[in-house]
């Protein structure tokens, strides 16, 4: 870590002069010192001016990290108050060149911009141009990248051990937060005002800072706005979470809203499926996530929003978990929305939901870094293997083709022989990992042999619900071992590759082909619905299903 010590009074003058300066500092956190020009150069005029001169730097304060505007530099907006008679106000950063930032300070206030400051971290100094020996400063100002972290308790932090960045890093990591941020919930709010401080907490982000500082070579700051136990509704416009996020970014950046990206990890609370409520509901979550993304981009200067995908939820329903994951995964198709970490394989967690152990946090940090490097720095491939095709070669043999070479291993890097995490429909029942006799890997193909033949119309899901958690799963061969992205009810049948939705037979045709009512497959975004007597099925949109239920024409319990 850099040895960033506050400057102190260094002028070799008499004790009376020292006392005067100390009195001037009472009530101010801004450091002040005199340049050591040697005793012979100190005039009585300088001593008299010092009695009435003071500067308070109101922004940035100690430990503030600012967003760079280019790869190598950025601007520093400076605001403050003064007493005395300045001809103009000058400033410099990290022992760089002095620049005039305000040519006409008046009424005890000044503001201005220090232009094109190099990436780095150090002292920000301010002085009167006509009194260059007396300098006021704030410490540990960084010019680098600023990230806003948003979501539930896996963002605010639930680790067993306190996390701190590596002490040997070139720069320190800082955070804008309250000391008690972890204890904020959807139902109670801490009243403490957030400030910039040295970064250390119970979350994954001190470890993420290590990767950014060590690989990108820039200071990094995190603006923490997460709320434990928050549902997606809280992050829509005009609701508490979103309003608080915008207000916090405004305070942290002094209104510029300049940040690199928003890191969003939320959805655990939305997995508890209740048909009459918007939980575990794909459409509801996708709409509200899109609203959050749009409003966040419109109200900040973020380049991108990175959406993480939820992991193990021990008491969430399989349906609810899949609905939320699918909505998150599909949001990555927007060019302004990046893929965050996929986490279904990490665990099992000690409490069934939180990343708590040092090893879990380290792997999660690697995946956040891979995502950040991929989406912002373009230096890593941040996405795991994505399914391209499923081919049913024979009734018991199928081939999964991915977009990159794969292997079988667990989340800690231990290599296995049989991939787990599958769920395959087969007529009136389901097949799972116990029905898989063997899985073999050949470059980007995973070949699966089953212990029973499968029917004409078949769907395959991978990493559905909590399947694959802590197991040997499909992942890439990169140094981070990124897991294959979940597969949601991919339909395939004999002789057909790259299944197209237009080829799907109607529900009536599927019934005529001998498919049981319970296994009739609908096109994407449609749901299978029975009439009130249970003797007929139809595929309708979720909105139509709600209307039919309202009119009493269907019964979801049937």
């Amino acid at each position: 870590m850099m040895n960033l010590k506050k400057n102190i009074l260094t002028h070799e003058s008499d004790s009376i002069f020292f006392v005067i300066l100390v009195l001037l500092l009472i009530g101010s956190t801004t450091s002040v010192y005199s340049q050591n020009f040697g005793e012979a150069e100190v005039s009585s005029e300088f001593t008299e001016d010092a009695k009435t001169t003071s500067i308070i730097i109101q922004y940035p304060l100690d430990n503030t990290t600012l967003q760079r505007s280019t790869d190598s530099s950025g601007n520093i907006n400076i605001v403050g108050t003064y007493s005395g008679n300045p001809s103009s106000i000058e400033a410099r950063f990290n022992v760089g060149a002095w620049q005039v930032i305000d040519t006409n300070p008046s009424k005890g206030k000044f503001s201005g911009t220090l232009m094109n400051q190099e990436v780095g971290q150090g002292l920000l100094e301010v002085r009167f141009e006509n009194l260059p020996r007396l300098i006021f400063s704030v410490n540990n100002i960084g010019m680098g990248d600023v990230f806003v972290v948003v979501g539930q308790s896996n963002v605010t932090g639930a680790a067993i051990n306190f996390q701190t960045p590596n002490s040997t890093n070139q720069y320190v990591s800082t955070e804008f937060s309250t000391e008690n941020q972890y204890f904020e919930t959807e139902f109670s709010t801490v009243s403490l005002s957030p400030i910039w401080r040295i970064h250390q907490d119970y979350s994954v982000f001190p470890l993420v800072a290590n990767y950014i500082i060590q690989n990108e070579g820039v200071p990094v700051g995190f603006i923490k706005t997460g709320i434990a136990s928050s549902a997606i509704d809280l992050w829509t416009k005009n609701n508490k979470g979103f309003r608080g996020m915008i207000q916090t970014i405004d305070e942290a950046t002094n209104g510029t809203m300049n940040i690199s990206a928003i890191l969003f990890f939320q959805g655990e609370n939305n997995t508890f499926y209740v048909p009459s409520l918007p939980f575990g509901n794909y459409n509801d979550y996708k709409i509200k996530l899109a609203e959050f993304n749009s409003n966040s981009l419109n109200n900040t200067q973020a380049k991108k929003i990175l959406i993480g995908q939820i992991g193990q939820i021990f008491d969430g329903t399989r349906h609810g978990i899949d609905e939320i994951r699918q909505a998150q995964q599909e949001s990555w198709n927007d060019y302004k929305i990046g893929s965050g970490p996929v986490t279904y394989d990490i665990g099992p967690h000690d409490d069934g939901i939180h990343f708590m152990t040092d090893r879990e946090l380290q792997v999660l940090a690697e995946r956040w870094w891979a995502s950040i490097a991929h989406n912002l720095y373009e230096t890593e491939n941040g996405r795991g293997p994505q399914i391209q095709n499923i081919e049913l070669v024979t009734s018991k043999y199928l081939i999964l083709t991915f977009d990159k070479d794969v292997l079988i291993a667990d989340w800690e890097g231990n290599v296995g022989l049989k991939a787990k995490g599958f769920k395959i429909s087969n007529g009136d029942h389901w097949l799972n990992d116990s029905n898989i006799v063997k899985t073999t890997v050949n470059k980007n193909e995973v070949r699966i042999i089953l212990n029973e033949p499968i029917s004409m119309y078949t769907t395959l899901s991978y990493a559905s619900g909590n399947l694959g958690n802590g197991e040997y799963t499909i992942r890439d061969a990169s140094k981070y071992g990124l897991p294959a992205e979940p597969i949601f009810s991919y339909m395939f049948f004999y002789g057909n590759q790259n299944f197209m939705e237009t080829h799907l037979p109607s529900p009536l045709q599927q019934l005529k082909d001998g498919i049981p009512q319970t296994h009739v497959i609908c096109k994407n975004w449609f749901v299978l619905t029975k009439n009130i007597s249970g003797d007929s099925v139809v595929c309708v949109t979720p909105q139509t299903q709600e209307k039919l239920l309202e009119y009493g024409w269907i019964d979801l319990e049937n």
Side-chain angles (χ1 to χ4, degrees):
M1 183 183 297
M2 293 184 66
N3 185 19
L4 299 171
K5 297 181 178 178
K6 279 186 176 292
N7 287 285
I8 61 173
L9 183 67
T10 59
H11 194 279
E12 299 175 0
S13 187
D14 55 37
S15 59
I16 295 175
F17 177 63
F18 177 77
V19 171
I20 290 172
L21 287 181
V22 170
L23 291 174
L24 286 171
L25 285 175
I26 296 176
S28 170
T29 60
T30 304
S31 298
V32 60
Y33 63 98
S34 166
Q35 287 184 332
N36 187 1
F37 290 98
E39 189 170 347
E41 294 185 11
V42 179
S43 66
S44 60
E45 179 184 0
F46 172 68
T47 305
E48 290 300 314
D49 286 341
K51 295 178 182 179
T52 58
T53 297
S54 69
I55 292 176
I56 297 177
I57 302 171
Q58 297 175 316
Y59 186 88
L61 298 176
D62 287 349
N63 303 314
T64 299
T65 301
L66 304 165
Q67 178 59 42
R68 56 180 171 164
S69 53
T70 71
D71 287 346
S72 59
S73 66
N75 301 328
I76 303 177
N77 295 328
I78 305 172
V79 178
T81 61
Y82 67 89
S83 61
N85 298 294
S87 59
S88 62
I89 301 291
E90 293 184 320
R92 70 175 181 177
F93 170 59
N94 211 11
V95 201
W98 288 97
Q99 293 182 20
V100 174
I101 62 168
D102 193 333
T103 58
N104 188 31
S106 63
K107 298 180 180 180
K109 297 181 179 180
F110 71 91
S111 63
T113 302
L114 200 53
M115 303 295 292
N116 302 319
Q117 298 303 295
E118 290 185 5
V119 163
Q121 197 168 54
L123 203 66
L124 176 66
E125 301 167 287
V126 180
R127 69 184 185 184
F128 290 4
E129 186 180 26
N130 55 317
L131 196 57
R133 296 178 181 88
L134 193 60
I135 299 171
F136 298 79
S137 66
V138 285
N139 196 31
N140 205 28
I141 304 303
M143 176 60 68
D145 283 338
V146 179
F147 298 90
V148 178
V149 293
V150 188
Q152 297 186 212
S153 50
N154 272 318
V155 160
T156 58
I160 296 171
N161 297 316
F162 203 58
Q163 304 297 311
T164 58
N166 194 318
S167 61
T168 62
N169 286 343
Q170 181 182 4
Y171 304 113
V172 298
S173 171
T174 67
E175 63 176 355
F176 188 77
S177 69
T178 66
E179 289 182 322
N180 296 324
Q181 181 80 16
Y182 176 65
F183 298 104
E184 287 197 34
T185 72
E186 182 176 354
F187 311 106
S188 64
T189 305
V190 174
S191 60
L192 296 176
S193 297
I195 62 172
W196 281 101
R197 68 180 78 248
I198 300 298
H199 193 192
Q200 49 188 1
D201 59 24
Y202 288 93
S203 81
V204 69
F205 294 105
L207 305 183
V208 176
N210 288 334
Y211 285 97
I212 297 173
I213 294 170
Q214 294 167 14
N215 289 278
E216 192 64 13
V218 297
V220 61
F222 294 91
I223 302 173
K224 295 170 61 178
T225 66
I227 300 178
S229 302
S230 56
I232 188 64
D233 299 70
L234 211 66
W235 301 104
T236 54
K237 192 173 184 179
N238 299 324
N239 279 312
K240 171 185 170 182
F242 184 81
R243 292 198 318 270
M245 180 190 75
I246 296 300
Q247 179 181 343
T248 303
I249 299 172
D250 181 81
E251 293 174 1
T253 64
N254 197 40
T256 68
M257 310 304 281
N258 287 334
I259 57 177
S260 178
I262 294 172
L263 311 181
F264 188 81
F265 198 95
Q266 187 280 333
E268 297 94 336
N269 251 30
N270 288 87
T271 62
F272 305 102
Y273 178 65
V274 180
S276 59
L277 296 174
F279 288 85
N281 184 304
Y282 164 86
N283 286 298
D284 180 82
Y285 191 88
K286 188 171 185 180
I287 290 170
K288 290 173 179 174
L289 181 59
E291 181 182 338
F292 169 80
N293 293 337
S294 174
N295 291 330
S296 297
L297 292 169
N298 289 337
N299 284 276
T300 72
Q301 299 298 317
K303 301 179 185 71
K304 275 195 173 184
I305 300 174
L306 309 187
I307 306 294
Q309 190 177 64
I310 56 173
Q312 177 197 11
I313 315 290
F314 78 99
D315 55 354
T317 65
R318 184 183 67 81
H319 173 92
I321 294 171
D322 288 357
E323 294 275 287
I324 303 309
R325 282 183 184 157
Q326 185 171 0
Q328 291 169 338
Q329 193 165 310
E330 290 176 359
S331 73
W332 302 340
N333 296 326
D334 189 309
Y335 80 101
K336 277 278 192 175
I337 311 302
S339 55
V342 173
T343 62
Y344 64 81
D345 59 321
I346 301 176
H349 303 310
D350 285 356
D351 66 351
I353 193 169
H354 291 113
F355 302 90
M356 301 177 70
T357 69
D358 289 348
R359 182 57 182 156
E360 288 174 344
L361 289 171
Q362 185 58 53
V363 172
L364 181 60
E366 289 176 353
R367 295 186 188 177
W368 267 120
W369 161 244
S371 173
I372 291 168
H374 172 74
N375 288 285
L376 300 175
Y377 306 140
E378 299 181 354
T379 57
E380 298 279 0
N381 187 346
R383 294 188 69 165
Q386 300 170 61
I387 191 66
Q388 302 297 298
N389 178 53
I390 299 178
E391 178 184 0
L392 190 57
V393 181
T394 70
S395 62
K396 292 184 180 181
Y397 176 41
L398 56 154
I399 298 176
L400 281 63
T401 303
F402 292 89
D403 65 339
K404 62 179 69 174
D405 289 355
V406 297
L407 53 80
I408 298 172
D410 67 11
W411 65 278
E412 296 190 273
N414 302 304
V415 176
L417 298 177
K418 180 181 175 182
K420 293 187 176 182
F422 293 96
K423 187 177 181 65
I424 304 171
S425 65
N426 190 27
D428 59 357
H429 64 286
W430 293 91
L431 306 182
N432 55 37
D433 294 335
S434 65
N435 299 105
I436 296 176
V437 177
K438 185 179 182 181
T439 55
T440 57
V441 172
N442 180 27
K443 295 183 178 180
N444 66 331
E445 293 182 349
V446 176
R447 300 174 180 184
I448 298 175
I449 298 176
L450 302 170
N451 64 1
E452 66 176 71
I454 51 181
S455 58
M456 182 177 295
Y457 304 118
T458 303
T459 62
L460 181 147
S461 295
Y462 186 69
S464 175
N466 289 318
L467 296 179
N469 183 252
E471 302 282 3
Y472 293 113
T473 52
I474 302 167
R475 60 189 67 245
D476 68 17
S478 73
K479 58 185 174 181
Y480 301 122
L482 301 177
E485 294 179 5
I487 302 170
F488 304 99
S489 299
Y490 190 112
M491 187 176 181
F492 59 98
F493 45 100
Y494 294 121
N496 181 66
Q497 301 184 31
N498 291 319
F499 168 74
M500 300 297 292
E501 188 177 339
T502 53
H503 295 160
L504 181 64
S506 68
L508 180 59
Q509 184 60 52
Q510 292 181 53
L511 291 171
K512 289 181 178 179
D513 290 336
I515 301 299
Q517 282 189 358
T518 55
H519 283 67
V520 168
I521 296 170
C522 297
K523 294 181 180 180
N524 285 338
W525 328 133
F526 284 73
V527 292
L528 185 65
T529 305
K530 287 185 182 182
N531 64 2
I532 195 69
S533 61
D535 58 5
S536 179
V537 294
V538 65
C539 293
V540 298
T541 65
Q543 293 82 359
T544 300
Q545 187 186 58
E546 289 179 8
K547 289 293 184 183
L548 294 175
L549 183 63
E550 180 182 336
Y551 297 151
W553 294 348
I554 62 172
D555 179 3
L556 293 182
E557 296 298 324
N558 192 325

